[in-house]
Amino acid sequence: MEKTLQQKLIDAANEARKHAYVPYSGYKVGAALLTRSGEIVTGCNIENSSYTPTVCAERVAIFKAVSEGVVDFVALAVVTDNGGSPCGVCRQVMGEFMLEGTVLIADKDGNLLEEMSVNELLPRAFTPKHLGH
């Protein structure tokens, strides 16, 4: 992936962080998802006092795109203060839609810290093929 496109995704994810609703943890996360058609779909984490309904930025971006009829993704940038990695639930959702896709992990200053495939993040992923689909 071109460095300019990587930075565009990281910048979009960093901008999405500004909308995070995190009154409990204070840990803002932004995500920017690149579709096969070149569209960028963003998301931020949204907490809830009951914790279980809390949703991560990565899933917000993916579900937002899917709800708009887009299911073909190339890359996802995730930006946190310190370059935190996607949680297991987000990895599973990424595995559903973009197992061969690229994940960019960056910090709030826009520094790319890691680049890997979803398959590397979630080895031996449980996917639709395991259900016979």
Side-chain angles (χ1 to χ4, degrees):
M1 177 180 294
E2 296 177 7
K3 296 284 185 201
T4 55
L5 184 53
Q6 286 179 336
Q7 197 57 54
K8 185 175 181 180
L9 281 175
I10 290 168
D11 291 345
N14 212 2
E15 186 65 26
R17 285 181 75 243
K18 295 177 182 176
H19 302 292
Y21 178 75
V22 292
Y24 310 106
S25 72
Y27 193 75
K28 294 182 176 190
V29 182
L33 180 65
L34 178 64
T35 69
R36 182 88 41 211
S37 67
E39 180 184 1
I40 295 175
V41 180
T42 60
C44 62
N45 55 325
I46 302 166
E47 294 180 346
N48 187 282
S49 60
S50 182
Y51 297 124
T52 302
T54 295
V55 65
C56 300
E58 301 92 325
R59 285 182 284 144
V60 169
I62 292 169
F63 293 162
K64 184 176 168 183
V66 171
S67 74
E68 295 171 6
V70 181
V71 295
D72 195 7
F73 310 124
V74 176
L76 178 70
V78 180
V79 176
T80 66
D81 281 347
N82 56 4
S85 187
C87 75
V89 173
C90 288
R91 291 174 191 211
Q92 180 61 41
V93 170
M94 286 185 260
E96 178 80 12
F97 294 102
M98 55 180 291
L99 194 59
E100 300 304 320
T102 300
V103 178
L104 307 172
I105 298 175
D107 65 20
K108 67 180 178 181
D109 297 321
N111 299 309
L112 177 62
L113 304 176
E114 291 186 73
E115 177 180 355
M116 67 204 72
S117 71
V118 173
N119 206 18
E120 290 172 307
L121 266 176
L122 186 65
R124 298 179 43 94
F126 184 83
T127 64
K129 71 179 180 187
H130 293 99
L131 298 173
H133 297 259

